[in-house]
Amino acid sequence: MTTIDSPSGASACPCGGGRYADCCAPYLRRESWPATAEALMRSRYTAFGLVDSEYLLRTWHPRTRPESLQLDDRRWHGLEITQVVDGTEDDQMGIVGFTAHWSSGSERGTLTERSAFVRRGGHWFYLAATPEGE
Ligand SMILES: [Zn+2]
């Protein structure tokens, strides 16, 4: 499996949320679990960028989690969070809308999704993409 070296702590986090050490690094290093749905969304974006499929699976709700995950060779170039509904430390559900930019060879594109997150046993998990207005 391809893995990409993690950024150093002082470099910018791939998700755009600040210094890697202060942003997604503790989650990707399995030192802590994101306290909000948005933080989990950001860390999952970063995990896509670092080709860390194990992190994606462990943060996926068991009800919808695939048995395994084969990541394609897209490279990820930036994340914009466009919507956050609930998903705080006091919620049980949250929605995070985002646009992510990718390239693959000479191809470029964007992925736009509204993701639903649920809290289970005190931890946020990715549930599924959810249609607009649901
Ligand atoms: Zn981050």
Coordinates of all heavy atoms in Angstrom, one line a residue, residues 4 48-51 71-77 100-105 107-111:
I4 N 2.1 8.1 2.2 CA 2.8 9.4 2.0 C 3.3 9.8 3.4 O 2.5 9.7 4.4 CB 1.8 10.4 1.4 CG1 1.5 9.9 0.0 CG2 2.5 11.8 1.3 CD1 0.5 10.8 -0.8
F48 N -7.2 11.0 3.8 CA -7.3 10.7 2.4 C -6.0 11.1 1.8 O -5.4 10.4 1.0 CB -8.4 11.4 1.7 CG -9.7 10.6 1.6 CD1 -10.7 10.8 2.5 CD2 -9.8 9.6 0.7 CE1 -11.9 10.0 2.4 CE2 -11.0 8.8 0.5 CZ -12.0 9.0 1.4
G49 N -5.5 12.3 2.1 CA -4.3 12.9 1.5 C -3.1 12.1 1.9 O -2.2 12.0 1.0
L50 N -3.1 11.5 3.0 CA -1.9 10.7 3.5 C -2.1 9.2 3.2 O -1.2 8.4 3.6 CB -1.7 10.9 5.0 CG -1.5 12.4 5.5 CD1 -1.3 12.4 7.0 CD2 -0.3 13.0 4.8
V51 N -3.1 8.9 2.5 CA -3.4 7.5 2.1 C -3.5 6.6 3.3 O -2.9 5.5 3.3 CB -2.4 7.0 1.0 CG1 -3.0 5.8 0.3 CG2 -2.1 8.1 0.0
L71 N -7.9 3.0 -1.7 CA -7.9 4.4 -2.1 C -7.3 4.5 -3.5 O -6.3 3.8 -3.9 CB -7.1 5.3 -1.1 CG -7.7 5.3 0.3 CD1 -6.7 6.1 1.2 CD2 -9.0 5.9 0.3
D72 N -7.9 5.4 -4.3 CA -7.4 5.6 -5.7 C -6.1 6.6 -5.6 O -5.7 7.0 -4.6 CB -8.5 6.1 -6.6 CG -9.1 7.4 -6.1 OD1 -8.4 8.2 -5.5 OD2 -10.3 7.6 -6.4
D73 N -5.6 6.9 -6.8 CA -4.3 7.6 -6.8 C -4.6 9.1 -6.9 O -3.7 9.9 -7.3 CB -3.4 7.1 -7.9 CG -4.0 7.4 -9.3 OD1 -5.2 7.8 -9.4 OD2 -3.3 7.1 -10.3
R74 N -5.8 9.6 -6.6 CA -6.0 11.0 -6.6 C -5.1 11.7 -5.6 O -4.9 11.2 -4.5 CB -7.5 11.3 -6.3 CG -8.3 11.1 -7.5 CD -9.7 11.7 -7.3 NE -10.5 10.8 -6.5 CZ -11.8 11.0 -6.3 NH1 -12.4 12.0 -6.8 NH2 -12.5 10.1 -5.6
R75 N -4.7 12.9 -5.9 CA -4.0 13.8 -4.9 C -4.9 14.9 -4.5 O -5.7 15.3 -5.3 CB -2.7 14.3 -5.5 CG -1.7 13.3 -5.7 CD -0.3 13.8 -6.1 NE 0.6 12.7 -6.0 CZ 1.4 12.6 -4.9 NH1 1.3 13.4 -3.9 NH2 2.2 11.6 -4.8
W76 N -4.9 15.3 -3.3 CA -5.8 16.2 -2.7 C -5.1 17.6 -2.5 O -4.1 17.6 -1.9 CB -6.5 15.7 -1.5 CG -7.2 14.4 -1.8 CD1 -6.8 13.1 -1.8 CD2 -8.6 14.3 -2.3 NE1 -7.7 12.3 -2.2 CE2 -8.9 13.0 -2.5 CE3 -9.6 15.3 -2.5 CZ2 -10.1 12.5 -3.0 CZ3 -10.9 14.9 -2.9 CH2 -11.1 13.5 -3.2
H77 N -5.8 18.6 -2.9 CA -5.1 19.9 -3.0 C -5.8 21.0 -2.1 O -5.3 22.1 -2.1 CB -5.0 20.4 -4.4 CG -4.3 19.5 -5.3 ND1 -2.9 19.4 -5.2 CD2 -4.7 18.6 -6.2 CE1 -2.5 18.5 -6.1 NE2 -3.6 18.0 -6.7
A100 N -13.8 19.5 -1.9 CA -12.4 19.1 -1.8 C -11.9 19.1 -3.3 O -12.6 18.6 -4.2 CB -12.2 17.8 -1.2
H101 N -10.7 19.6 -3.5 CA -10.1 19.7 -4.8 C -9.0 18.6 -5.0 O -8.2 18.3 -4.1 CB -9.4 21.0 -5.0 CG -10.3 22.2 -4.8 ND1 -11.1 22.7 -5.8 CD2 -10.7 22.8 -3.7 CE1 -11.9 23.7 -5.3 NE2 -11.7 23.8 -4.0
W102 N -9.1 17.9 -6.1 CA -8.2 16.8 -6.4 C -7.6 16.9 -7.8 O -8.1 17.6 -8.7 CB -8.9 15.5 -6.2 CG -10.1 15.2 -7.0 CD1 -11.4 15.5 -6.6 CD2 -10.2 14.7 -8.3 NE1 -12.3 15.2 -7.7 CE2 -11.5 14.7 -8.7 CE3 -9.2 14.3 -9.3 CZ2 -12.0 14.3 -10.0 CZ3 -9.7 13.8 -10.5 CH2 -11.0 13.8 -10.9
S103 N -6.5 16.1 -8.0 CA -6.0 15.9 -9.3 C -5.5 14.5 -9.5 O -5.2 13.8 -8.5 CB -4.8 16.9 -9.6 OG -3.7 16.5 -8.8
S104 N -5.5 14.0 -10.7 CA -5.1 12.7 -11.0 C -4.5 12.7 -12.4 O -5.2 12.9 -13.3 CB -6.2 11.7 -10.9 OG -5.8 10.4 -11.3
G105 N -3.1 12.6 -12.4 CA -2.5 12.9 -13.7 C -2.8 14.3 -14.2 O -2.6 15.3 -13.4
E107 N -5.8 15.2 -15.0 CA -7.2 15.5 -14.7 C -7.3 16.3 -13.3 O -6.6 16.0 -12.4 CB -7.9 14.2 -14.4 CG -9.2 14.0 -15.2 CD -9.8 12.7 -14.8 OE1 -9.2 11.6 -14.9 OE2 -11.0 12.7 -14.4
R108 N -8.3 17.2 -13.3 CA -8.6 17.9 -12.1 C -10.0 17.9 -11.8 O -10.8 17.9 -12.7 CB -8.1 19.4 -12.2 CG -6.6 19.5 -12.2 CD -6.1 20.9 -12.3 NE -4.6 20.8 -12.1 CZ -4.0 20.7 -11.0 NH1 -4.7 20.7 -9.8 NH2 -2.7 20.5 -10.9
G109 N -10.4 17.9 -10.5 CA -11.8 17.9 -10.2 C -12.1 18.4 -8.8 O -11.1 18.7 -8.0
T110 N -13.3 18.5 -8.5 CA -13.7 18.8 -7.1 C -14.7 17.7 -6.6 O -15.5 17.2 -7.4 CB -14.4 20.1 -7.0 OG1 -15.5 20.2 -7.8 CG2 -13.4 21.3 -7.3
L111 N -14.7 17.4 -5.4 CA -15.7 16.5 -4.7 C -16.5 17.4 -3.8 O -15.9 18.1 -2.9 CB -14.9 15.4 -4.0 CG -15.8 14.6 -3.1 CD1 -16.7 13.7 -3.9 CD2 -14.9 13.7 -2.2

